[in-house]
Structures are given as C-alpha cells and as structure tokens.
C-alpha cells in the first residue's frame, strides 16, 4: 500500500472514507458525524451508481445505502487482518439481523470500508475469504438444518430466532467492501481528497511541490523553508531554563519538564489531560469541508498563574515539530535526540507523536501586540511571515505565499499569553485580528488548529465561542504534584541521590500537611518547593512566603558562588533587592501600555532605575559611586538574582509571577498609609490581581495585627466610594475575598471569617461566567475548618432560599461541587456537614423573599437631577444604553458606547447613583455590565 492509512486513526479514516464516498458516489452521501450512529457512519438515500472500474464492476443501487467504517490500528499480517475484518463484519450483520436490535430497519445496501488490505489471491486470499464468510452467514439464515441437532422447545426457539433474523435481512439486497487497496486506488484517483489528508498520509511531497508559488521564494522553496524552520526550531527552541525558577543556567529540554495537567473541557468533567487532549483534537480536526468533527475547532487553554501554560504550549509545538521531521533522512544527532526524547515523553503520557504532521509555530502575544500597536496594519500573518524570514529563510517569506502554504498543509498555531495583553484598545485590536485570521483560514478551507492561552482572571470569553472551545487547567492532584517534584528533582540534582531523596521526602511530608497541601497546586510552585527544600527543612504555608523564600534561596546561592559578582551581591544586598522591587513595579506598569506588553527593560532604562535606587540610598552614582553603578549593571548582564538578560534584548523576569511578587514588595514597602490606597487602586484590575494577592499575602505572613486588619478592611470596603467603576453595582470585593481565602494566606478566624462572609456575596449576583473557578475556590475553602464550612453551607442555603437571582447563581455553582470532588481528590476532604454541598436544599420552613422591583422613574430622576449643560447629552446616552442592555442584553455597540461614556468619572458617578434603583431587579443588565463593559474599564492603566 502507498499510504499509511493506520496513521489516520479511526476518526481521520472515517473522514477520509466519507470524502472519498462523496467524491465517487455523489453529494447525496451524508456523513453522520461522531458518537452513537446506529451503525450508520455514512448514509445515502436514492440512486448510487458504481462505475465499471470498481473491483465489483458497474452496478446501480436504488434505495437506502449505509456505510460502516472499520479501522484497524495495527496491521498484523494478511491472515490475522482478514480474520479481523471477517469478525467485524459478522458482528455488524448479527446486530443488524437481531430482532431485539435498537437499530432501525436493515438498509437495502451495506458498504464496509476498512483500512485493512485484503489480498487478492483467488479463493484463498483475504478478499475472497471475507466475501465467502459473509455469504455463508447470509445463506445460513435460510438453512433449517442448523437446528437439526436440537429438539423440542430449543429447536422451536432457535428456528424462530433464525427466521426472525432472516426476515430482517431480506431487506438487504447487496453489499460491498472497500478495503485498504481500494482506498489506496481511490486516493490516487482523487488527488483533491488525498491532499486534504497530506499531514497524515505523506511526509514530504507537498513540502517540495507547491507549484503554484512564485516570487520571493521560488516555486519549490516555500515548503522546504518551512520544513527547515521546524527542524531548526526543534533544536534551537527546545530548551526551557531552570534559571527562570532558581536552577542552574543550563537549558533543560522541554520534554523533560512538561507535565500533562488535568483539564475540564467546556465546563464539563473530563478524564483527559491537556497535552493528550490537544493532540487528539489535532488528529481529529481536518479541513473544514472534510471534517465531521463538530465546531468549534480551536481551543482556549485557561490556567492560573504558574500552572504551566507556556511550558505546555512550548511542548505541544515541539511535539508537532518532531512529528513533521521525524521520518526525514537528513537529521543530525541533536535533531534525532530531540525526536526520541519527545517520543519518550509522549509515551509516558499515553500518547504517540501526532498522527497529523502539522507545521507548528508559537506566537508570543505580548511581543506581537507591541508590533501591532506600532503599526495598525500589522497582522498576525505579518508576524508569522517576518518571524520565519528572520529565523530561517534566506529570502523573504511573502504573506500571500504563506497563506497558500496554510491552505495546502495542516498547521498548528499557538497564541501564548493573551492575559499579558492588557491595554484595552490593544487587546481589542489583537482579539479582532485573531478572529479575522481564524475566519480567513475557515473561508480558505485551511486545516488549521489555533490554541490561545490565558489566565482566568479577566477572561470573559474574549475569543468567540463559535470558533473556540474552552479548556481549563485544573490544579495538580497530590499524586501529580509529587510525581512532578520527583521528576524536576532528578533533572536538577542528577548526581546526588541523597540530596534528591531528601527533597522528595520533604515534598511528601508537605503533601500530608493540611496547611501546606494548597502549595502543591501548580508546577511552578512545586518546582520552587524543590529548590527551597535543598537549603531549608521547612515550608511556610503562605504562597507569598514561598516565593519570597525562593528569592532568598537564589540570592544566597548567587552570593556564595566563587564569581566576581558574589561579593557585590553580599555587600549590597539591600540595594539589589530595591532594584528588583523597582524593576518589578516598573515592568508591571509598563505592561499596561500599548508598547510595553512584553515586560522588558532596555539597558538604558535599567541603568537609570539603578541610578535612582543608589541615589535614594545615599550613594552618589554620578560621581564617587559611578563604579558601583557600573558593577551592578555589569552583574545584570549575567544574572542579578532574578533579573536576567532577555532573548530579544533588554532585561526582565523570565517568570511573570516573580515580577508580580516584586511589584507587590514595591507597593507594600513603606507605611500602610501609603500602601493601602495603592492597593485599593489596583484591586479591580485583572492585570494587577496576582500582584494584589502577593501584597495581601505579605501582610498576612508578617506578625503585625494592624497590617492584617488593614488589608482585611481594604477588601471588605474596596467597593465603597468607587463610582468610577460602578463599585456599588458591580463589586469586585467578593471575588477578591474568595481569592484570598483560596490562597490560604488568612488563617486566623478574626480575618478569615469576615472574608468568607464577604465572598458569599458572589451568590447574590447574576450567574458568573467563571462559575467553575468560583466553585473550585469554595470547594477548597469549605474543607478548611468546621467554622468556615458552616459559614459556606449557611451561605449557600440562604442563597437557595433567596431571590430568583441568588437561587439561580447558587444552583449553577452548586452543581460543580460533586463534579470537583470526583474529578480531583484534593476536593474530597470536605467536612462531613459539607459532604453533600452539591445536594444542599433551602430551608423549606422559610418563605422565599419578595422579588425586587426596578424603579425606573427614580433612575431617570437621578440622572436628570445631576444633569447640566456639560453632561446632559452623555447622561441621556447612558439612559438609552442602560435600558437597551436591560431589555436586550449586552450588544457590542451598546458595550462600546457605555465603556466610552463611563470613562468620564463624573458621568460614572451619576450612573452608579442611578443604577442602584434598578440593578437588583435587572440581572441581565448587571451581568451585561459585569461581563462586557466593566472588563474594559478594569483594564484601564492604573495611576500609582
């Protein structure tokens, strides 16, 4: 056989068979899609004409024709394979003939399609033996001698069943087999279909035969250039660096540290893992005109900070690169090692290399957003073409030629870090460009799979749900966390088993400690724990303290190295820390701008920042201490604790959580009177959320009651006097309170209980889009203490007996508790009284409260009362937009108009005062404001 039909897998082969059947027999052949099909993989009603070149000869069928596709994953030889086909067909015939079958009537005609090549030797070959076996079964339905060995009741029963089967099968007039040889011939005859499956069937002919292309790259160069890019990147973009999180500077192959995280798909429980699920999805998705896989075809992978999204995205791209070049005969030793390592990693995950050889590329969205902000005509296709030209091609890769390539060959495009693009106008332009790019690929019938990664905070289905389905990364299970800890310990400490075993032992101890278990949630935190465990015999239960402890470990390691800069780091430790804080805060602020999303500081900016740090400490960096300034900058070119040179130039933090931790340190260095107002300003911003949590964690980790009181009070009152973001109508305090509770930083009841109580206000709001996240946070919190469990149980019971809005929201979140408890053993530690939280009911003895009523007259009266010559038009527009949203829901034009109007603080002040008269009775209005308008306002750059 010419084509590797096994590689297609059952889904790809079914799609291939359907495409061929449509091409050979006509458009009236209808693929039935995935799932339970009642024996109908394809169906045709009416006339089916078989041409004379078919192995059965010409024939015309008029009636109902059903196709059944049988794919064998591994061929074992002609006899075994033929026996497998015989058994598959016999099983289908037995089911069709059964009087008790749940299938409908037997079709007039059956076609069995298989990838198994049936040998053509007359009488003894696989083809003839299968045909003979089928005919024997059908003839046997008319053979009464089959019951001769029976007597009495058994004989009557057997005859009755045989005759019933015979009567059902009388409807079958004819049948055929398309075996592997037949499929081979049809693929040769129908190049258009074969080309749709090139990623599976042929390793390289398209790569060297894009005859339509010309200009910058010659006709035969585009495929080779892109294949060369995959081979180049397989080695040059293979490594991740443990110095990103405290290890040595030597890179580590991504396949050694990638972890396949558990996922929930489209808010549904799943036994899948993100890498395996994405690769399976890529093997099933074909050209839009060919595939029978339901839309949406693309994925959004959503994961918390440190959950390994970037590492997963790098590994997925790496796996597709390995698959694309694995069968090449021009691989060097490093290429082959990368391919073999990737195969081994995938085997440990229960996968093989992707069957579909997609050409892959990974786009750093923060860097792309900067380029796009500088040139509004710059598109995603621009970025990919210029990236390829810069990295590999000796000539320009033109965009039109790239589109032709993407139409011809399957592709895999990862858009990593949507959450890092935070400036509202830039984010809006970027999302629109991605949507247009995906729509263009669809219109061009391109076999393209796009994966976007983002954090959950602030993500409100920015990518259209018609194009993208959502995959949520779950927390590591305890078992996964320990397995990952053992793996990274082996990578980091390869030659000292005693040290390595000591690290693993500390992780195992932490996994049994209720106060520490929550730290073993993400790959980044597990990695940091292995680093801390090398020098410390204990962990702090605070996430902030974990990251701060990591800084101190790395600082100590750098200070004790026998290098020229170790003395500098020892003698000027406070200056170096101050520089880290300032750089972290500056980069965090810079990332909110249109041109700073990639969080990199130029050498000049770093020098200027260091100058100010030294000046503030009493040094004279322009004169007497200029040498100290030069030494600090020189040290940064190698490594300055966590500040490192970046691949594209400049300096920064490789891991964004470390930048956010340093920004939090900067915000909380000084008096509470200075810090709390700053935290109040960043509290609503998704971009600053992790920084806020680190800042709160710092205060809770220190033995200063007044600091804990201050941050608790801040969270409880953060929505008061916040009209610029409609705080009274769309509060952020309840979500903040729940995140602090979930983080585990607040342990003392005097602070913990008020925060839990505040978080339960989420149940009074309309059903949230991130119900899964909220449910997992409550599920973790309910296992903390009996008192917290009681608060949450009582809160849910009250909501279930509250207004219709509260009842719906509580029920929507409540349904997740049972799912989460079964999905991840981490949530199985529920206290006895909360064990049935998913089945909790309201108190039937308490009557439901009256439903709130909107006072639109008072709404308009408030607007009119504040109206003057300067704001009257804006307030009239506000009134119209609010009523439209209340009556018709959120629409793009209304959303954009409201966001623009509310950017005026005076208008927002009046709007909040008016909305309080109608919000409680208008859940659609509040949900529209919360999910479409406020995310734009929350992402506005924060003035500090």
């Amino acid at each position: 056989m010419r084509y590797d039909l096994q590689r297609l897998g059952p889904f790809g082969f079914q799609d291939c068979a359907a495409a061929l059947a449509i091409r050979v027999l006509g458009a009236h052949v209808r693929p039935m899609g995935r799932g339970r099909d009642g024996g109908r993989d394809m169906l045709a009603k009416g006339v089916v004409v078989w041409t004379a070149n078919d192995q059965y000869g010409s024939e015309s069928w008029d009636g109902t024709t059903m196709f059944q596709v049988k794919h064998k994953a591994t061929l074992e030889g002609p006899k075994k394979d033929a026996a497998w086909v015989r058994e598959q067909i016999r099983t289908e015939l037995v089911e069709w003939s059964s009087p008790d079958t749940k299938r409908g009537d037997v079709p007039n005609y059956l076609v069995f399609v298989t990838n198994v090549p049936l040998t053509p030797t007359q009488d003894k070959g696989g083809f003839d033996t299968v045909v003979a076996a089928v005919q024997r079964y059908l003839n046997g339905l008319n053979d009464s001698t089959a019951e001769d060995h029976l007597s009495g009741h058994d004989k009557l029963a057997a005859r009755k069943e045989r005759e019933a089967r015979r009567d059902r099968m009388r409807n079958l007039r004819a049948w055929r087999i398309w075996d592997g040889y037949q499929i081979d011939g049809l693929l040769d005859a129908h190049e258009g279909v074969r080309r749709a499956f090139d990623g599976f069937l042929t390793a390289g002919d398209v790569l060297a035969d894009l005859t339509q292309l010309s200009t910058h790259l010659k006709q035969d160069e585009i495929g080779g250039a892109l294949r060369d890019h995959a081979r180049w990147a397989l080695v040059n973009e293979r490594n991740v660096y443990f110095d990103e999180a405290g290890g040595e500077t030597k890179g580590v192959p991504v396949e050694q540290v990638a972890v396949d995280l558990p996922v929930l798909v489209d808010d549904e429980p799943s036994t899948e893992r993100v890498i395996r699920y994405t690769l399976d999805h890529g093997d099933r998705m074909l050209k839009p005109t060919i595939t029978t896989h339901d839309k949406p075809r693309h994925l959004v992978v959503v994961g918390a900070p440190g959950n390994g999204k970037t590492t997963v995205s790098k590994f997925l791209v790496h796996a597709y690169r390995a698959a694309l070049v694995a069968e090449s005969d021009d691989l060097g030793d490093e290429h082959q090692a990368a391919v073999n390592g990737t195969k081994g990693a995938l085997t440990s995950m229960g996968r093989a290399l992707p069957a579909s050889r997609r050409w892959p590329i990974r786009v750093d969205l923060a860097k792309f957003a900067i380029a796009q902000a500088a040139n509004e005509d710059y598109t995603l296709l621009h970025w990919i073409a210029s990236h390829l030209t810069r990295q590999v091609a000796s000539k320009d890769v033109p965009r039109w030629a790239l589109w032709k390539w993407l139409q011809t060959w399957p592709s895999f495009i990862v858009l990593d870090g949507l959450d890092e693009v935070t400036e509202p106008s830039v984010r809006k332009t970027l999302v629109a460009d991605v949507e247009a790019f995906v729509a263009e690929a669809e219109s061009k019938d391109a076999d393209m799979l796009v994966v976007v990664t983002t954090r959950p905070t602030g993500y409100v289905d920015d990518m259209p749900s018609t194009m993208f389905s959502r995959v949520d990364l779950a927390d590591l299970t305890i078992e996964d966390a320990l397995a990952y800890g053992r793996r990274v310990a082996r990578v980091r400490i390869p030659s000292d088993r005693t040290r390595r075993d000591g690290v693993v032992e500390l992780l195992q101890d932490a996994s049994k400690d209720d106060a520490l278990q929550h730290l073993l949630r993400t790959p980044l935190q597990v990695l940091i724990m292995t680093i801390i465990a090398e020098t410390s015999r204990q962990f702090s239960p605070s996430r902030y303290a974990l990251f701060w402890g990591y800084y101190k470990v790395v600082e100590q390691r750098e200070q004790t190295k026998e290098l020229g800069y170790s003395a500098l780091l020892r003698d000027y430790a406070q200056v170096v820390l101050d520089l880290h804080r300032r750089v972290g805060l500056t980069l965090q602020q810079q990332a909110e701008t249109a041109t700073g999303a990639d969080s990199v500081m130029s050498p000049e900016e770093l020098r200027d920042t260091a100058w100010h740090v030294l000046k503030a400490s009493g040094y004279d960096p322009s004169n007497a201490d200029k040498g100290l300034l030069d030494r600090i900058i020189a040290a940064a070119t190698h490594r300055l604790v966590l500040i490192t040179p970046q691949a594209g130039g400049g300096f920064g933090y490789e891991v964004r959580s470390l930048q956010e931790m340093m920004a939090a340190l900067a915000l909380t260095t000084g008096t509470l009177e200075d810090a709390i107002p700053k935290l109040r300003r960043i509290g609503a911003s998704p971009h600053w959320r992790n920084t806020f949590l680190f800042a709160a964690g710092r205060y809770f980790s220190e033995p200063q009651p007044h600091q804990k009181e201050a941050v608790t009070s801040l969270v409880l009152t953060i929505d008061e006097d916040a009209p610029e973001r409609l705080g009274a109508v769309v509060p952020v305090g309840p979500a903040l309170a729940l995140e602090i509770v979930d983080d585990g930083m607040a342990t003392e009841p005097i602070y913990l209980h008020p925060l839990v109580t505040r978080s339960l206000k989420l149940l009074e709001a309309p059903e949230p889009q991130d119900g899964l996240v909220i449910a997992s946070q409550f599920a973790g919190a309910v296992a903390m203490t009996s008192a917290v469990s009681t608060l949450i149980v009582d809160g849910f019971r009250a909501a279930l007996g509250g207004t219709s809005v509260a009842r719906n929201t509580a029920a929507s979140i409540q349904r997740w508790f049972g799912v989460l408890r079964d999905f991840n053993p981490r949530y199985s530690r529920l206290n006895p009284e909360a064990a049935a939280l998913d089945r909790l009911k309201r108190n039937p003895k308490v009557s439901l409260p009256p439903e709130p009523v909107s006072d639109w007259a008072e709404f308009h009266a408030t607007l009119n009362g504040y109206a003057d010559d300067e704001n009257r038009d804006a307030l009239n527009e506000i009134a119209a937009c609010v009523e439209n949203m209340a009556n018709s829901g959120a629409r793009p034009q209304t959303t954009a108009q409201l966001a623009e109007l509310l950017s005026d603080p005076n208008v927002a002040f009046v709007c909040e005062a008016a909305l309080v008269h109608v919000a409680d009775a208008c859940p659609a209005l509040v949900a529209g404001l919360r999910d479409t308008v406020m995310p734009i306002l929350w992402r506005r750059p924060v003035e500090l």
Side-chain angles (χ1 to χ4, degrees):
M1 292 176 62
R2 289 192 57 203
Y3 304 111
D4 185 1
L5 301 179
Q6 291 73 255
R7 190 183 185 104
L8 285 165
F11 295 111
F13 183 69
Q14 182 173 328
D15 286 340
C16 181
L20 288 171
I22 292 169
R23 188 62 59 91
V24 172
L25 302 174
H28 59 292
V29 176
R30 179 184 174 189
M32 302 305 290
R34 314 291 189 211
R36 295 181 178 276
D37 52 28
R40 306 175 303 167
D41 292 324
M42 290 174 276
L43 173 68
K45 292 187 176 181
V47 178
V48 171
V49 178
W50 300 93
T51 58
N53 60 8
D54 185 87
Q55 56 188 332
Y56 287 91
S58 62
E59 190 177 355
S60 179
W61 289 356
D62 187 3
T64 299
T65 302
M66 289 187 186
F67 297 75
Q68 294 186 292
V69 181
K70 303 298 178 184
H71 182 269
K72 192 170 191 287
T74 304
L75 299 185
E76 302 175 276
K79 289 186 177 180
K80 287 186 177 181
D81 295 336
W84 180 87
V85 173
R86 287 198 303 272
E87 184 58 29
Q88 292 291 311
I89 295 177
R90 185 182 185 283
T91 299
E92 291 294 340
L93 293 176
V94 169
E95 180 63 29
W96 276 116
S97 65
S98 171
D100 299 323
T101 184
K102 294 182 180 179
R103 298 180 180 179
D105 293 338
V106 175
N108 304 122
Y109 307 96
L110 274 172
V111 181
F112 297 101
V113 185
T114 180
N115 65 311
V116 171
L118 298 173
T119 53
T121 306
Q122 186 172 355
D123 296 332
K124 295 182 179 179
F127 188 86
D128 283 358
T129 57
V130 169
V131 170
V134 172
Q135 198 57 52
R136 279 197 303 274
Y137 177 82
L138 295 175
N139 292 341
L141 297 178
N142 293 303
D143 185 5
S144 62
T145 61
E147 296 95 38
D148 287 348
H149 66 288
L150 301 174
S151 61
H153 177 76
D154 291 340
K155 186 172 185 176
L156 290 174
R159 178 173 296 175
K160 183 178 179 180
E161 180 180 352
R162 177 181 57 77
E163 291 176 348
R165 289 181 179 273
R166 177 200 62 194
D167 293 343
R168 276 188 58 81
M169 295 304 292
R170 280 175 175 165
N171 206 40
L172 181 67
R173 303 171 192 167
W175 65 278
R176 290 192 177 196
I177 299 175
W178 272 0
D179 73 329
Y181 290 126
Q182 179 80 358
I183 298 296
D184 241 20
L186 292 173
L187 286 170
D188 280 338
H190 299 282
E191 183 184 10
V193 175
R194 186 187 68 76
R195 287 286 186 174
F197 294 88
D198 266 320
F200 291 95
L201 299 178
T202 56
D205 63 332
V206 172
L207 293 167
D209 185 28
L210 297 184
T211 57
Q212 308 94 325
L213 305 181
S214 60
T215 131
H216 298 338
L217 281 169
K218 293 181 180 179
Q219 294 176 354
D220 60 350
E221 290 181 338
I222 182 72
L226 296 177
R227 182 174 170 277
D228 286 347
H229 169 261
R231 188 174 58 237
W232 174 88
L234 184 69
V235 171
N236 288 274
E237 296 184 355
R238 180 188 186 190
N239 286 352
V240 294
Y241 294 89
F242 269 22
D243 61 348
E244 296 173 1
E248 299 303 322
T249 57
K250 183 181 178 181
V252 176
V254 65
E255 66 267 19
Q256 292 186 17
V257 294
V259 55
D260 204 5
L261 295 159
V263 295
L264 291 101
V265 181
D266 283 330
D267 287 354
E268 293 296 333
S270 170
T271 58
E272 287 293 352
R273 301 294 180 112
V274 63
I275 292 172
R276 194 168 60 215
Y277 176 83
T278 305
L279 295 180
D280 287 349
H281 190 79
D283 284 350
R284 295 171 186 174
M285 269 303 172
L286 305 166
K287 286 180 175 289
T289 56
I290 295 291
T291 186
T292 56
H293 198 285
D294 293 335
K295 293 182 180 179
R297 67 182 290 123
H298 308 289
L299 304 175
V300 176
V301 176
V302 182
N307 229 354
K309 298 180 295 299
T310 294
T311 302
V312 163
S313 74
K314 287 181 177 180
F315 180 78
L316 286 168
V317 170
H318 188 66
Y320 275 112
R321 286 172 183 151
L324 189 64
V325 305
E327 297 169 18
S328 302
D329 56 8
D330 58 352
L331 298 183
D333 291 344
E334 285 296 316
H335 299 106
Q336 195 61 58
V339 170
N340 293 341
T342 305
K343 286 181 178 179
L346 285 169
T347 298
S348 70
M349 298 175 188
R351 267 286 314 195
L353 283 175
S356 178
R357 302 175 183 89
R358 296 180 178 274
W359 174 75
I361 194 164
R362 177 177 167 272
V363 178
D364 185 327
L365 283 180
K367 288 181 170 58
F368 168 63
I370 292 172
Q372 191 175 60
N375 180 359
E376 62 182 15
D377 295 327
Y378 194 81
T379 65
L380 190 56
L381 197 66
H382 273 101
W383 192 95
I384 296 173
S386 62
H387 185 75
L388 292 171
T389 299
R390 190 167 58 249
Q391 286 194 327
V392 176
S394 58
K395 302 178 183 180
D396 286 346
V397 177
R399 282 173 287 143
W400 72 267
L402 184 58
W403 257 132
K404 196 67 178 177
W405 164 262
L406 295 174
Q407 281 181 270
T408 308
W409 192 265
S411 59
F412 177 70
I413 299 176
V414 172
L415 308 177
D416 189 29
L418 177 62
D419 54 289
E420 296 187 44
V421 183
T422 187
E423 201 280 329
S425 62
V426 174
R427 186 182 176 92
K428 179 181 178 182
T429 301
L430 183 146
V431 169
D433 185 60
V434 172
E435 185 175 352
F437 178 74
V438 170
E440 183 73 2
E442 181 97 3
S443 70
K444 292 179 181 296
D445 198 32
D447 183 1
M448 178 187 294
L449 173 59
V450 178
V451 174
V452 177
T453 72
T454 185
R455 288 180 178 181
T457 303
Y459 181 77
V460 284
D461 292 340
D462 301 71
M463 309 311 301
S465 58
T466 54
M467 294 178 173
F468 290 83
S469 62
R470 177 168 171 165
V471 177
D472 282 86
L473 299 181
D475 289 344
L476 291 172
T477 65
I478 296 298
E479 292 74 17
D480 285 337
L482 292 176
Y484 185 65
R486 285 190 289 269
R487 190 196 314 174
V488 296
R490 282 195 302 271
V491 173
R492 293 189 62 255
I493 317 170
S495 57
D496 191 334
R497 181 170 182 175
T498 301
R499 282 175 58 209
R500 189 167 65 240
D501 289 347
V503 168
V504 172
E505 182 181 352
L506 282 176
L507 289 180
Q508 291 172 333
D509 291 342
S511 72
K512 302 170 186 175
D513 188 331
D514 289 347
L516 298 176
Q517 276 192 350
H518 73 283
L519 295 178
L520 294 164
R521 285 183 172 184
T522 70
L524 176 60
Q525 289 176 200
V526 173
L527 175 56
I528 288 175
M529 291 176 77
T530 67
I531 295 163
I532 292 175
E534 284 189 76
T535 57
S536 174
R537 298 298 300 172
Q538 59 183 9
F539 302 111
S540 169
S542 163
R543 188 171 71 102
Y544 161 78
L546 180 71
F547 278 75
W548 171 244
Y550 159 71
Y551 174 83
K552 298 303 291 182
V553 166
V554 179
E555 179 189 51
Q556 183 180 12
R557 187 196 68 198
E558 297 296 317
Q559 289 173 346
T560 55
K561 284 182 177 179
E562 294 183 3
L563 297 174
Y565 298 109
S566 58
L568 172 74
L569 297 177
R570 287 195 302 270
D571 297 341
Y572 298 96
Q574 188 58 48
V575 170
V576 172
L577 175 58
D578 288 345
L579 181 59
H580 277 78
R581 291 192 292 227
R582 287 209 189 192
V583 170
L585 183 58
T586 300
L587 291 179
Q588 190 68 9
Q589 289 178 283
Q590 180 180 307
E592 290 191 293
T593 66
T595 59
D598 64 342
S599 297
V600 173
M601 184 173 281
S602 70
E604 296 75 20
E605 290 171 323
L606 180 63
R607 185 179 187 87
D608 185 61
T609 303
W611 188 96
H612 283 90
V613 167
L614 288 171
K615 189 70 174 176
S617 299
Y619 295 95
D620 184 5
S622 296
N623 298 297
D625 297 307
K626 184 178 182 300
L628 174 59
L629 175 63
D630 292 338
R631 289 166 60 203
I632 289 175
I633 299 304
T637 63
H638 300 279
R639 180 190 180 96
L640 193 66
V641 190
L642 299 184
I643 297 173
T644 60
Q646 302 299 292
F651 300 88
Y653 295 89
E654 293 287 353
V655 176
R656 187 149 62 105
S657 289
L658 300 175
Q659 172 185 301
E660 290 163 330
M661 190 264 290
M662 284 299 171
L665 275 172
L667 290 174
T668 54
T669 296
T671 66
L672 279 173
E673 289 73 17
D674 288 335
I676 292 298
K678 294 175 183 177
L679 296 182
R680 186 177 294 275
R681 285 196 286 276
I682 70 172
S685 170
H687 173 67
W688 289 90
R689 181 60 53 83
N690 205 30
T691 300
F692 184 99
L693 293 174
F694 275 126
R698 180 184 187 185
Y699 283 142
F700 276 114
S701 69
E702 296 179 357
Q704 297 291 337
H706 70 286
Q707 293 180 344
K708 301 174 186 179
E709 291 168 5
V711 73
T712 301
S713 176
L714 167 63
V715 174
L716 298 180
T717 63
I718 198 167
D719 296 308
E720 297 176 8
D721 194 25
E724 73 283 354
R725 56 174 175 80
L726 308 185
V729 179
V730 190
V732 298
L736 270 177
L738 185 56
E739 288 191 69
I740 289 175
V741 171
D742 180 60
D743 194 87
M745 65 181 80
T747 56
E748 297 164 90
I750 192 173
Y751 312 117
L752 176 60
H753 293 177
L755 290 169
V756 171
T757 300
R758 180 64 176 161
S759 71
L760 289 164
K761 290 292 183 181
L762 286 166
L763 304 181
E764 298 177 10
E767 184 176 344
Q769 288 190 328
D770 56 348
L772 169 60
V773 175
I774 291 172
S776 65
Q777 290 169 338
F778 274 124
V782 81
M784 286 181 171
T785 67
S786 179
V788 170
S789 175
T790 299
L791 286 172
I792 294 175
V793 167
D794 290 347
F796 270 86
R797 183 174 284 118
L800 292 168
T803 65
S804 59
V805 171
R807 295 198 299 272
N808 290 337
T809 298
S812 73
I813 295 174
Q814 186 186 27
R815 73 183 180 91
W816 283 108
F817 287 111
V819 172
L820 288 168
R821 189 170 53 241
D822 297 336
F823 175 71
N824 189 335
R826 186 185 297 278
Y827 300 118
S828 65
R829 297 164 44 250
L830 300 179
N831 291 332
E833 64 181 297
L837 197 57
D838 52 310
R839 297 184 295 277
L840 192 67
K841 305 293 184 183
R842 75 178 182 89
N843 186 346
K845 298 180 180 179
V846 178
S847 300
L848 294 176
E851 292 294 322
V853 178
S854 296
D855 191 343
W856 286 101
E858 192 61 31
F859 169 82
H860 288 288
T862 302
L863 293 180
N864 292 332
Y866 281 102
D868 57 31
D869 292 342
E870 292 185 5
N871 66 16
R872 182 170 283 105
D873 290 345
L875 293 180
N876 287 336
E877 289 183 56
I878 284 280
C881 288
V882 166
E883 289 194 271
N884 283 339
M885 189 170 285
N887 295 325
S888 306
R891 294 181 176 179
Q893 184 175 357
T894 303
T895 294
Q897 190 175 2
L898 269 175
E900 178 65 27
L901 292 166
L902 291 171
S903 63
D904 182 337
N906 294 320
V907 172
F909 173 85
V910 179
C911 183
E912 183 193 60
L915 283 171
V916 295
H917 299 293
V918 297
D920 287 347
C922 291
L925 169 61
V926 175
L929 290 170
R930 180 194 64 199
D931 299 335
T932 64
V933 179
M934 299 316 299
I936 299 173
L937 300 183
W938 289 335
R939 289 188 181 279
R940 292 177 297 190
V942 175
E943 292 293 336
L944 292 174

